[in-house]
Coordinates of all heavy atoms in Angstrom, one line a residue:
A293 N 4.2 -7.3 -15.8 CA 5.1 -6.1 -15.8 C 5.8 -6.0 -17.1 O 6.0 -4.9 -17.5 CB 6.0 -6.4 -14.6
A294 N 6.3 -7.0 -17.7 CA 7.0 -7.0 -19.0 C 6.1 -6.4 -20.1 O 6.6 -5.6 -20.9 CB 7.5 -8.4 -19.3
R295 N 4.9 -6.9 -20.1 CA 4.0 -6.3 -21.1 C 3.7 -4.8 -21.0 O 3.7 -4.1 -21.9 CB 2.6 -7.0 -21.1 CG 2.7 -8.4 -21.8 CD 1.3 -9.0 -22.0 NE 1.3 -10.1 -23.0 CZ 0.2 -10.6 -23.4 NH1 -1.0 -10.2 -22.9 NH2 0.2 -11.6 -24.2
V296 N 3.5 -4.3 -19.7 CA 3.2 -3.0 -19.4 C 4.5 -2.2 -19.8 O 4.5 -1.1 -20.4 CB 2.9 -2.7 -18.1 CG1 2.7 -1.2 -17.7 CG2 1.5 -3.3 -17.7
S297 N 5.6 -2.6 -19.4 CA 7.0 -1.9 -19.7 C 7.2 -1.9 -21.2 O 7.6 -0.8 -21.7 CB 8.1 -2.6 -19.0 OG 9.3 -2.0 -19.2
R298 N 7.0 -3.0 -21.9 CA 7.2 -3.0 -23.4 C 6.3 -2.1 -24.0 O 6.7 -1.4 -25.0 CB 7.1 -4.4 -23.9 CG 7.2 -4.5 -25.4 CD 7.1 -6.1 -25.8 NE 7.0 -6.1 -27.2 CZ 6.1 -6.0 -28.1 NH1 4.9 -5.8 -27.6 NH2 6.3 -6.2 -29.4
A299 N 5.0 -2.1 -23.8 CA 4.1 -1.2 -24.4 C 4.4 0.3 -24.2 O 4.5 1.1 -25.2 CB 2.6 -1.6 -23.9
N300 N 4.7 0.7 -23.0 CA 5.1 2.0 -22.8 C 6.5 2.4 -23.4 O 6.7 3.6 -23.9 CB 5.1 2.3 -21.3 CG 3.8 2.4 -20.7 OD1 3.1 3.5 -20.8 ND2 3.3 1.4 -20.2
T301 N 7.4 1.4 -23.5 CA 8.7 1.7 -24.1 C 8.5 1.9 -25.6 O 9.1 2.8 -26.2 CB 9.7 0.6 -23.8 OG1 9.9 0.4 -22.4 CG2 11.0 0.9 -24.5
L302 N 7.7 1.1 -26.2 CA 7.4 1.3 -27.7 C 6.8 2.7 -28.0 O 7.0 3.3 -29.0 CB 6.4 0.2 -28.1 CG 7.1 -1.2 -28.3 CD1 5.9 -2.2 -28.5 CD2 8.0 -1.2 -29.4
A303 N 5.9 3.2 -27.1 CA 5.4 4.5 -27.2 C 6.4 5.6 -27.1 O 6.2 6.7 -27.6 CB 4.2 4.6 -26.2
W304 N 7.5 5.4 -26.2 CA 8.4 6.5 -26.0 C 9.7 6.5 -26.8 O 10.4 7.3 -26.9 CB 8.7 6.6 -24.5 CG 7.6 7.0 -23.7 CD1 6.8 6.2 -22.9 CD2 7.2 8.3 -23.5 NE1 5.9 7.0 -22.2 CE2 6.1 8.3 -22.5 CE3 7.6 9.5 -24.0 CZ2 5.5 9.4 -22.1 CZ3 6.9 10.7 -23.5 CH2 5.9 10.6 -22.6
A305 N 9.9 5.2 -27.4 CA 11.2 5.0 -28.0 C 11.5 5.9 -29.2 O 12.7 6.2 -29.6 CB 11.4 3.5 -28.5
N306 N 10.5 6.3 -30.0 CA 10.7 7.2 -31.1 C 10.2 8.6 -30.9 O 10.1 9.3 -32.0 CB 9.9 6.4 -32.3 CG 10.3 5.2 -32.7 OD1 11.5 5.0 -32.8 ND2 9.5 4.3 -33.1
R307 N 10.1 9.0 -29.7 CA 9.8 10.4 -29.5 C 11.1 11.3 -29.9 O 12.2 10.9 -30.0 CB 9.5 10.7 -28.1 CG 8.2 10.0 -27.7 CD 7.0 10.6 -28.4 NE 5.7 9.9 -27.9 CZ 5.0 10.4 -27.0 NH1 5.3 11.5 -26.3 NH2 3.8 9.9 -26.7
D308 N 10.8 12.6 -30.1 CA 11.8 13.5 -30.5 C 13.0 13.6 -29.6 O 14.2 13.7 -30.0 CB 11.2 14.8 -30.7 CG 10.2 14.9 -31.9 OD1 10.3 14.0 -32.8 OD2 9.4 15.8 -32.0
F309 N 12.8 13.6 -28.3 CA 13.9 13.8 -27.4 C 14.6 12.5 -27.4 O 15.9 12.7 -27.1 CB 13.3 14.1 -26.0 CG 12.4 13.1 -25.4 CD1 12.9 12.0 -24.6 CD2 11.0 13.1 -25.6 CE1 12.1 11.1 -24.0 CE2 10.2 12.2 -24.9 CZ 10.7 11.2 -24.2
V310 N 14.1 11.4 -27.6 CA 15.0 10.1 -27.6 C 15.8 10.1 -28.9 O 17.0 9.8 -28.9 CB 14.1 8.8 -27.7 CG1 14.9 7.6 -27.9 CG2 13.3 8.8 -26.3
L311 N 15.2 10.6 -30.1 CA 15.9 10.7 -31.3 C 17.2 11.7 -31.2 O 18.1 11.5 -31.7 CB 14.9 11.0 -32.4 CG 13.9 10.0 -32.7 CD1 13.0 10.5 -33.9 CD2 14.5 8.7 -33.1
A312 N 16.8 12.8 -30.5 CA 17.9 13.8 -30.2 C 19.0 13.3 -29.4 O 20.1 13.6 -29.7 CB 17.2 15.1 -29.6
A313 N 18.6 12.5 -28.4 CA 19.7 12.0 -27.6 C 20.6 10.9 -28.4 O 21.8 10.9 -28.3 CB 19.1 11.2 -26.4
R314 N 20.0 10.3 -29.3 CA 20.8 9.4 -30.1 C 21.6 10.1 -31.1 O 22.8 9.8 -31.4 CB 19.8 8.4 -31.0 CG 19.0 7.3 -30.3 CD 18.1 6.6 -31.2 NE 17.4 5.6 -30.4 CZ 16.3 5.0 -30.9 NH1 15.9 5.3 -32.1 NH2 15.7 4.0 -30.2
T315 N 21.1 11.3 -31.6 CA 21.8 12.1 -32.6 C 23.1 12.6 -31.9 O 24.1 12.8 -32.6 CB 20.9 13.2 -33.1 OG1 19.8 12.7 -33.6 CG2 21.8 14.1 -34.1
I316 N 23.1 13.1 -30.7 CA 24.2 13.7 -30.0 C 25.2 12.5 -29.5 O 26.2 12.9 -28.8 CB 23.8 14.7 -28.8 CG1 23.1 13.9 -27.8 CG2 23.0 15.7 -29.4 CD1 22.7 14.7 -26.6
G317 N 24.9 11.3 -29.7 CA 25.8 10.2 -29.4 C 25.6 9.6 -28.0 O 26.5 9.0 -27.5
A318 N 24.4 9.8 -27.5 CA 24.2 9.2 -26.1 C 24.1 7.7 -26.1 O 23.6 7.2 -27.1 CB 22.8 9.7 -25.5
S319 N 24.6 6.9 -25.2 CA 24.6 5.6 -25.2 C 23.1 5.0 -25.0 O 22.3 5.7 -24.4 CB 25.6 5.0 -24.2 OG 25.1 5.4 -22.8
N320 N 23.0 3.7 -25.3 CA 21.7 3.1 -25.1 C 21.4 3.1 -23.6 O 20.2 3.3 -23.3 CB 21.7 1.6 -25.6 CG 21.8 1.7 -27.2 OD1 21.3 2.6 -27.9 ND2 22.5 0.7 -27.7
W321 N 22.4 2.8 -22.8 CA 22.1 2.8 -21.3 C 21.6 4.1 -20.9 O 20.7 4.3 -20.0 CB 23.3 2.4 -20.6 CG 23.2 2.4 -19.0 CD1 23.8 3.4 -18.3 CD2 22.5 1.5 -18.2 NE1 23.4 3.1 -17.0 CE2 22.7 2.0 -16.9 CE3 21.7 0.4 -18.5 CZ2 22.1 1.3 -15.7 CZ3 21.2 -0.2 -17.4 CH2 21.3 0.2 -16.1
R322 N 22.2 5.3 -21.3 CA 21.8 6.5 -20.8 C 20.4 6.9 -21.4 O 19.6 7.5 -20.6 CB 22.9 7.6 -21.4 CG 22.6 9.0 -20.9 CD 23.5 10.0 -21.4 NE 23.2 11.3 -21.0 CZ 23.6 11.9 -19.9 NH1 24.3 11.2 -19.0 NH2 23.2 13.1 -19.6
I323 N 20.1 6.5 -22.6 CA 18.8 6.9 -23.1 C 17.7 6.0 -22.3 O 16.7 6.6 -21.9 CB 18.7 6.4 -24.6 CG1 19.7 7.4 -25.5 CG2 17.3 6.5 -25.2 CD1 19.7 7.0 -26.9
L324 N 18.0 4.8 -22.0 CA 17.0 4.0 -21.3 C 16.9 4.5 -19.9 O 15.7 4.5 -19.4 CB 17.4 2.5 -21.2 CG 17.3 1.7 -22.5 CD1 18.0 0.4 -22.4 CD2 15.9 1.5 -22.9
T325 N 17.9 5.0 -19.2 CA 17.8 5.3 -17.8 C 17.3 6.8 -17.6 O 16.8 7.1 -16.6 CB 19.2 5.1 -17.1 OG1 20.2 5.6 -17.7 CG2 19.3 3.4 -17.0

Side-chain angles (χ1 to χ4, degrees):
R295 281 194 164 186
V296 174
S297 176
R298 176 179 177 273
N300 283 276
T301 302
L302 288 172
W304 291 102
N306 291 323
R307 294 295 182 92
D308 292 340
F309 60 90
V310 175
L311 297 177
R314 288 176 184 167
T315 303
I316 63 175
S319 63
N320 292 326
W321 174 255
R322 182 179 179 85
I323 293 174
L324 284 171
T325 56

